[in-house]
């Protein structure tokens, strides 16, 4: 392996672990745990590639041990909070912020045990909102889990129900071809937004899935990559099911 490649891996590890520490200090423990795990693996890869330099190997071993110890502490802390029914985390997305694609937001909570998802959002009606839901479904399909069923509860577009029903029917058919069932229901009284995973996580976004701003043009940065798309200000509350049972 070339020295440039090793240096690149080391830079990536430093970047990911720096983010892990920032999330750790801000109390976003589940997200920080994912970053610690990714960064540690990158450092292990660097260690394996630095076979001839014993001083560097010792340095990497020490750093890996430190990060692994902290990751284990966080894992134990999160598991205890979940067991006690007290897990609650809040993320604030500021006005015009970027870096909050569905992949970035939901990844820390999508374990390999995830098989079923419930989406309650009254605003899956207009074209851009329907595309948001489609992107969310695509994100589920790409994740390292085996989602088999998605439940959507939304309100009906009274102005153009044909467009809404047609789009959701097409999404349902497309998901079916991927081995995923879409259970679709409408409600005239739904107001709250909530996404639930059958692995226990509950994510409540103030604006639901519709927290992205309209791009400035069809050929503007952020039109395709939602990590580069500006956001509306909103809050994201993350719970675990044992926490909600005490409410």
């Amino acid at each position: 392996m070339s020295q440039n490649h090793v240096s690149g891996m080391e830079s990536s590890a430093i970047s990911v672990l720096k983010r892990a520490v920032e999330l750790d200090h801000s109390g976003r423990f589940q997200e920080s745990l994912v970053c610690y795990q990714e960064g540690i693996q990158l450092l292990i890869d660097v260690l394996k590639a630095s076979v001839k330099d014993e001083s560097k190997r010792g340095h990497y071993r020490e750093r890996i041990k430190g990060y692994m110890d902290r990751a284990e502490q966080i894992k134990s802390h999160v598991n205890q909070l979940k067991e006690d029914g007290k897990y609650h985390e809040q993320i604030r997305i500021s006005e015009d912020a970027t870096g909050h694609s569905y992949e970035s937001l939901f990844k820390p909570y999508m374990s390999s045990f995830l098989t079923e998802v419930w989406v309650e959002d009254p605003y899956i009606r207009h074209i851009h909102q329907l595309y948001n839901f489609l992107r969310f479904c695509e994100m589920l399909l790409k994740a390292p889990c085996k989602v088999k069923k998605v439940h959507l509860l939304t309100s009906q577009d009274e102005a153009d129900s044909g467009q809404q029903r047609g789009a959701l029917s097409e999404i349902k058919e497309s998901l079916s071809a991927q081995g995923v069932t879409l259970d679709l229901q409408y409600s005239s009284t739904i107001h709250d937004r909530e996404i639930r995973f059958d692995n226990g996580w509950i994510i409540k976004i103030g604006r639901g899935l519709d927290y992205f701003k309209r791009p400035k043009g069809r050929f503007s940065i952020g039109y395709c990559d939602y990590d580069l798309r500006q956001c509306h200000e909103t809050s994201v509350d993350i719970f675990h099911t044992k926490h909600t049972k005490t409410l």
Side-chain angles (χ1 to χ4, degrees):
M1 188 177 294
S2 70
Q3 185 59 42
N4 286 341
H5 187 63
V6 174
S7 297
M9 285 196 301
E10 185 176 19
S11 296
S12 296
I14 291 171
S15 177
V16 174
L17 289 166
K18 181 180 178 182
R19 179 61 175 159
V21 173
E22 290 172 351
L23 292 167
D24 187 353
H25 289 169
S26 63
R28 292 163 64 175
F29 297 121
Q30 185 65 24
E31 291 177 277
S32 71
L33 182 58
V34 171
C35 287
Y36 274 125
Q37 290 168 339
E38 290 182 359
I40 288 167
Q41 185 56 57
L42 284 168
L43 277 186
I44 290 173
D45 292 340
V46 173
L47 174 62
K48 290 177 180 177
S50 304
V51 180
K52 298 178 180 179
D53 195 329
E54 193 56 40
S55 63
K56 280 191 174 182
R57 289 175 64 83
H59 173 67
Y60 290 133
R61 286 195 195 97
E62 186 176 338
R63 292 181 65 185
I64 289 168
K65 184 182 183 304
Y67 288 125
M68 287 183 74
D69 288 345
R70 180 54 187 159
E72 282 300 316
Q73 291 173 356
I74 292 174
K75 188 175 182 179
S76 297
H77 177 65
V78 169
N79 286 340
Q80 189 61 54
L81 287 175
K82 288 161 65 177
E83 186 64 30
D84 293 342
K86 296 179 180 178
Y87 191 95
H88 174 223
E89 179 182 336
Q90 185 175 78
I91 300 169
R92 298 289 303 182
I93 298 177
S94 58
E95 187 75 7
D96 293 329
T98 57
H100 297 286
S101 67
Y102 296 145
E103 287 86 351
S104 299
L105 182 60
F106 292 104
K107 180 181 177 181
Y109 314 100
M110 298 176 63
S111 67
S112 58
F113 302 106
L114 179 61
T115 61
E116 197 164 359
V117 177
W118 290 261
V119 178
E120 295 183 8
D121 191 326
Y123 299 107
I124 308 294
R125 302 187 298 195
H126 303 309
I127 285 293
H128 74 282
Q129 295 165 345
L130 291 160
Y131 273 123
N132 285 340
F133 180 65
L134 176 59
R135 281 185 176 273
F136 177 78
C137 291
E138 290 175 337
M139 181 268 301
L140 293 175
L141 289 172
K142 291 192 297 180
C145 54
K146 301 294 182 183
V147 173
K148 294 299 181 184
K149 193 166 189 177
V150 178
H151 304 263
L152 173 62
L153 178 65
T154 190
S155 61
Q156 190 166 332
D157 185 356
E158 297 179 0
D160 192 355
S161 61
Q163 174 180 265
Q164 180 192 29
R165 287 185 177 275
L168 289 173
S169 176
E170 189 172 342
I171 292 173
K172 182 174 183 176
E173 184 179 343
S174 185
L175 282 172
S176 180
Q178 298 288 331
V180 180
T181 301
L182 174 60
D183 172 45
L184 176 60
Q185 296 185 39
Y186 296 96
S187 170
S188 59
T189 58
I190 183 176
H191 179 266
D192 292 342
R193 289 96 161 162
E194 179 177 286
I195 294 173
R196 286 179 286 129
F197 294 159
D198 69 348
N199 59 8
W201 292 108
I202 299 175
I203 298 95
K204 296 187 177 185
I205 310 173
R207 298 182 61 96
L209 292 174
D210 192 11
Y211 60 86
F212 295 106
K213 288 192 169 185
R214 183 190 298 272
K216 294 179 180 179
R218 289 186 298 169
F219 297 96
S220 298
I221 296 298
Y223 186 87
C224 297
D225 189 338
Y226 274 36
D227 264 322
L228 299 174
R229 179 79 67 90
Q230 290 182 316
C231 299
H232 293 286
E233 181 178 351
T234 193
S235 61
V236 183
D237 286 280
I238 299 104
F239 304 88
H240 198 265
T241 48
K242 288 188 177 181
H243 179 65
T244 61
K245 288 177 183 176
T246 64
L247 298 179

